[in-house]
Amino acid sequence: MITNKPVPFTVRGDLAGAEVATLAERLWPHLLTAPPQTVVDLAAAGEIDPAGVDLLAAADAYAVHRGLRLRITGAAPAVRTALRAAGVEAFPAGGEVVPRRTSGRRPAEVPA
């Protein structure tokens, strides 16, 4: 049976340092299965670094390329600020953030 229900993907830990590589090892195989919608829950992520922002931006670009929908939810204020600085748009309802298309640019810097 084909369903359009979002598939949850929970991030356990921060999006910084070595944890980004660990997350990438989990996230890419998940996206390669091509679920129509993925909800990345960042409720447990208290911080993010440029590598974490790059990973989420690349995952979003891949999802768009494949015609999938990637949503990011539960971002802490510091994570949300870093994502916004990198061109990620926050939706006011529920504090949800969804990567926004930005003329193909990669995020350059994320404020500390």
Side-chain angles (χ1 to χ4, degrees), residues 4 10-11 18 41 44 48 53-54 72 75 80 97 100:
N4 286 334
T10 302
V11 175
D41 180 1
I48 191 167
V53 173
D54 284 348
I72 300 173
R80 196 170 25 250
V97 295
R100 174 184 67 176

Side-chain angles (χ1 to χ4, degrees), residues 5-107:
K5 289 185 178 182
V7 177
F9 184 88
T10 302
V11 175
R12 293 174 182 88
D14 293 328
L15 291 161
E19 294 181 47
V20 175
T22 301
L23 175 61
E25 289 173 358
R26 290 181 44 233
L27 182 58
W28 287 116
H30 174 86
L31 290 176
L32 291 171
T33 64
Q37 297 182 60
T38 293
V39 176
V40 178
D41 180 1
L42 298 181
E47 66 179 81
I48 191 167
D49 69 9
V53 173
D54 284 348
L55 173 61
L56 292 178
D60 178 57
Y62 175 79
V64 169
H65 172 74
R66 293 289 308 270
L68 310 172
R69 182 165 185 219
L70 181 70
R71 291 188 303 146
I72 300 173
T73 63
V79 172
R80 196 170 25 250
T81 298
L83 291 172
R84 281 184 182 150
V88 175
E89 183 176 298
F91 292 128
E96 179 178 80
V97 295
V98 178
R100 174 184 67 176
R101 296 275 51 95
T102 57
S103 69
R105 294 190 328 248
R106 290 185 56 197

